[in-house]
Amino acid sequence: MTRRTVEISSPSHLRVEHEQLVIERDGQRLGQVPLEDLGVLVIDHPHATMSRHLLSSCARHDATVVVSDEKHLPSAIVLPIEGHSVQTETMRAQAAMTEPTRKRLWQQIVRSKIKAQAFVLAESTNGMPTPLDGMGAKVRSGDPDNIEGQAARLYWPRMFGQEFRRDPDQDGINTLLNYGYAIIRAATARAVCAAGLHPSLGIHHHNRYDALCLASDLMEPARPLVDRIVLGLNTDGAPIEVNAATKEPLLKVVHEHVLVDKREFPLLLALQTLAVSVRRVITEGKGQVQAPLPLPLNHVSVESSQD
């Protein structure tokens, strides 16, 4: 069964009762969700409260809790400390990862990202060839030629117009991209911890202020899924912002079905497969990164796996 994403966007109190997330307001029960079904819990209202027991129970059930700020952008993420049975052994191997392994992993991640970008870009132009076609194959170990950056300079103006600049500090489209990316990053961090990896020890990202460098690395191939949703929200070119109407499809991105090694999975589970494949490369020195790739927008998804 696919894990659920629950957003709290009104004054509520959250607690646990009989292994269920219980949502209440003014003493009245509004709903409940089994904790074992919960994948991501988004707290997006300043007057929402929760019990300590809820936070510890979410961690025990491998559910990620995301807390948003006044701009509706995630400002904190609660993740389980112990995510895997051989976590210490895995983290030691991760900390001792060789530079060739690091570069090979980043090469595969960038190739997957560019392939996903080329797919959604072609889809937005009714299947017309794009300048990104074949660029992924040019990525060498560690991407010393910055093919990722070259692809981005071709990708953004074709997705959102010649005037668009990808700038996280800007409003409009950039704000929606920020929100969608934050949801994917939280889901990726959950997968990283569940695989026994440390989210701060990145492959390519190494910002000293980023506590989730590895999640920032592994989420890269999934970013175009957010881009596609935002493009669909911007069809008339009118100003857009993060609100109830625009958040709903972005929250659902983790349930969108993708392709991993010719098999179909919800993104939430595909990210877990990705993290496990990275752990295998790190600990065993073999295998390939199994990154998610988009399926067509009109694809009819079939539940092909259980979470």
Side-chain angles (χ1 to χ4, degrees), residues 25-83:
R25 184 190 303 156
D26 298 329
Q28 299 295 316
R29 181 172 300 201
L30 303 179
Q32 60 190 52
V33 179
L35 287 171
E36 63 181 1
D37 295 348
L38 189 62
V40 180
L41 173 63
V42 180
I43 310 297
D44 192 27
H45 196 280
H47 299 299
T49 61
M50 66 202 78
S51 67
R52 179 204 61 80
H53 183 41
L54 171 67
L55 294 177
S56 62
S57 296
C58 284
R60 179 163 47 84
H61 285 275
D62 293 329
T64 298
V65 180
V66 179
V67 181
S68 299
D69 60 18
E70 65 280 1
K71 295 182 179 179
H72 306 289
L73 295 176
S75 59
I77 300 175
V78 181
L79 296 166
I81 293 178
E82 296 183 358

Side-chain angles (χ1 to χ4, degrees), residues 210-272:
D210 184 358
L212 302 175
C213 286
L214 186 58
S216 297
D217 287 327
L218 301 193
M219 68 177 281
E220 293 291 347
R223 284 178 181 265
L225 296 171
V226 171
D227 305 342
R228 181 166 67 179
I229 293 173
V230 173
L231 181 65
L233 294 171
N234 190 46
T235 52
D236 59 2
I240 53 177
E241 59 183 15
V242 176
N243 53 38
T246 56
K247 282 192 298 182
E248 183 178 0
L250 290 169
L251 284 166
K252 290 179 179 178
V253 67
V254 294
H255 305 297
E256 186 170 325
H257 280 233
V258 295
L259 206 59
V260 180
D261 194 23
K262 299 181 180 180
R263 297 178 61 193
E264 184 181 330
F265 297 97
L267 179 60
L268 200 63
L269 185 54
L271 291 171
Q272 185 175 325

Side-chain angles (χ1 to χ4, degrees), residues 1 26 30 39 63 65 70 147 150-151 188 277 279 295 305-306:
M1 180 182 62
D26 298 329
L30 303 179
V65 180
E70 65 280 1
I147 302 298
Q150 295 180 40
T188 306
S277 72
R279 183 193 72 204
L295 285 165
S305 54
Q306 300 292 319

Side-chain angles (χ1 to χ4, degrees), residues 153-186:
R153 286 190 289 273
L154 295 169
Y155 174 75
W156 289 118
R158 287 167 174 80
M159 279 291 287
F160 295 109
Q162 293 297 321
E163 301 302 317
F164 177 77
R165 297 293 181 271
R166 173 59 188 144
D167 184 347
D169 295 324
Q170 295 298 314
D171 295 330
I173 290 174
N174 277 291
T175 303
L176 288 182
L177 292 173
N178 292 344
Y179 186 84
Y181 293 159
I183 296 299
I184 288 182
R185 188 166 177 255

